[in-house]
Amino acid sequence: MPVPGITVDTILRDHDDLQLILITGEAGLSNRINNAEINRPGLSLTGFFDFFANDRIQILGKGEWAFLNSLSEEKLHEITDKFFEFHLNCIIYTHGNEPQIPFVERAKAKGIPLFKTEIATHRFITLISQILDRALAPRTMRHGVLIEVFGIGTLLTGRSGVGKSETALELIERGHRLVADDMVEIRRLSESYLIGSCSDLLRHHMEIRGLGILNIKDLFGVGSVRDHKLIELIINLKEWEEQTSGEYERTGIEQSMEEILGVSVPYIEIPVKPGRNIPIIVETAAMNQRLRKMGKNSAKEFSNKLNTYIQQSSIETNPIKD
């Protein structure tokens, strides 16, 4: 499983939208960021370093830059020395402001990456926070196939050989889109959202027993794949067992849930046996889940109609006598 976190070098190399310009500190580009929070060290620059969040990216906006420029040379050197006594992963000046010379000298000596960007502070914090939230989100790996069916991110699970990939292949042929096959990387982006994706190595590929490894993007076109998708439904494919056939869901009034990384996801178990068209059942389950999201529960509506019918029939059969 990928190691949570992101290096300073990755941010610099893969995110041109941040417009980062490295001034010094090349030796520290391998520093790893493991905290998604951002710190603006305004209070620390006044000399108060209690509770200094040095493990976060340090952002110096217009206010911090102007304050440092207002200090005497002696005071500036004193604050700079104290500031760089802490382990820092990187420092970023916004609004295109040039870092003070003492900061440049200490960053170079300590091997701490020092950047500047033309982007305004608030906008920059928004952009980099999104990057860190994705990189540092809690994650896990699940064996299965993640496919987008009618806009619903559907995770197919089940033991090896039950037919997950074959079902997904039929769904792709019907116009749905593959996200990940075999191993699905799942990240929790908030308290109620899970995003599924695939590793760079396996992306767009699928294994079909008897055929081998297939490149779905090359076979079916770019519209048949996507890199990530919100997981909204889990369908577990399970071989039909006659002795437990009576335990399978028949009404669907109450929806089962499965918890992944603390997030509950709707869960359906579909028995597999010859003659059952599993791709069509998966499509129907995805459409039904979309209706549930819109507040429409067909099973409950039918149950209410049935109860009303029974009550009316009972009244007609046994009229109330005065």
Side-chain angles (χ1 to χ4, degrees):
M1 184 167 57
V3 178
I6 187 171
T7 63
V8 177
D9 182 56
T10 299
I11 294 178
L12 176 63
R13 184 183 66 249
D14 296 346
H15 300 283
D16 295 337
D17 55 325
L18 296 179
Q19 301 178 33
L20 290 172
I21 299 174
L22 180 64
I23 297 174
T24 190
E26 294 87 347
L29 289 176
S30 60
N31 290 350
R32 199 164 194 88
I33 301 165
N34 294 304
N35 193 326
E37 299 293 329
I38 300 297
N39 187 51
R40 295 191 64 178
L43 190 59
S44 300
L45 296 179
T46 67
F48 185 79
F49 285 93
D50 293 357
F51 311 110
F52 176 39
N54 62 291
D55 62 329
R56 306 177 184 177
I57 292 178
Q58 307 298 315
I59 305 291
L60 278 70
K62 272 187 176 180
E64 291 85 355
W65 179 79
F67 174 76
L68 290 174
N69 282 342
S70 71
L71 299 177
S72 65
E73 185 175 349
E74 180 182 356
K75 187 64 175 178
L76 177 59
H77 280 276
E78 178 186 339
I79 291 297
T80 303
D81 289 341
K82 289 182 179 179
F83 190 77
F84 281 91
E85 285 179 0
F86 294 86
H87 173 75
L88 306 170
N89 48 47
C90 70
I91 305 167
I92 302 171
Y93 279 70
T94 59
H95 293 279
N97 292 322
E98 293 291 338
Q100 288 74 17
I101 293 177
F103 260 66
V104 177
E105 293 175 345
R106 298 300 190 283
K108 183 177 181 180
K110 292 276 191 176
I112 299 172
L114 178 63
F115 300 94
K116 73 173 182 178
T117 178
E118 296 294 332
I119 302 175
T121 307
H122 177 74
R123 175 61 179 161
F124 183 82
I125 290 177
T126 299
L127 290 173
I128 199 166
S129 293
Q130 292 173 349
I131 293 169
L132 294 178
D133 284 342
R134 289 194 298 269
L136 302 176
R139 64 187 65 194
T140 187
M141 301 292 287
R142 288 291 295 270
H143 176 66
V145 182
L146 179 58
I147 190 165
E148 182 190 62
V149 183
F150 295 125
I152 299 294
T154 306
L155 178 62
L156 303 179
T157 63
R159 72 166 186 79
S160 181
V162 76
K164 299 184 296 297
S165 295
E166 290 79 0
T167 298
L169 186 62
E170 173 66 18
L171 290 168
I172 293 166
E173 198 275 333
R174 291 170 178 265
H176 306 294
R177 300 197 285 179
L178 174 71
V179 181
D181 178 58
D182 191 37
M183 294 304 297
V184 183
E185 180 182 332
I186 302 175
R187 291 175 292 163
R188 190 189 73 199
L189 295 188
S190 73
E191 295 304 314
S192 55
Y193 292 105
L194 296 173
I195 291 290
S197 60
C198 188
S199 68
D200 293 337
L201 180 63
L202 300 176
R203 183 169 293 134
H204 305 159
H205 289 81
M206 174 181 285
E207 178 195 357
I208 300 294
R209 285 177 172 81
L211 292 181
I213 305 298
L214 305 178
N215 188 312
I216 299 301
K217 181 179 177 181
D218 291 345
L219 282 172
F220 296 93
V222 67
S224 65
V225 296
R226 61 176 303 164
D227 291 340
H228 52 81
K229 179 62 183 175
L230 182 70
I231 298 177
E232 300 172 87
L233 179 64
I234 299 173
I235 296 180
N236 184 53
L237 303 182
K238 186 177 181 181
E239 290 185 344
W240 185 287
E241 298 178 5
E242 292 296 339
Q243 62 271 27
T244 60
S245 60
E247 299 177 6
Y248 296 128
E249 182 62 50
R250 298 294 300 273
T251 63
I253 295 176
E254 299 298 330
Q255 188 165 51
S256 299
M257 308 293 284
E258 180 173 338
E259 189 173 287
I260 300 177
L261 295 173
V263 177
S264 294
V265 182
Y267 172 88
I268 298 173
E269 188 169 279
I270 296 179
V272 177
K273 72 173 183 177
R276 301 202 85 199
N277 193 324
I278 303 303
I280 287 181
I281 295 176
V282 171
E283 283 184 327
T284 305
M287 288 189 289
N288 194 48
Q289 179 60 28
R290 191 164 61 179
L291 281 177
R292 285 176 180 264
K293 288 177 59 181
M294 298 168 62
K296 187 176 181 64
N297 190 319
S298 301
K300 285 186 177 180
E301 289 180 1
F302 174 78
S303 177
N304 292 336
K305 286 182 180 180
L306 182 61
N307 290 333
T308 300
Y309 175 79
I310 293 174
Q311 291 174 1
Q312 290 176 346
S313 298
S314 177
I315 293 174
E316 293 174 358
T317 304
N318 303 293
I320 300 176
K321 298 180 180 180
D322 293 334

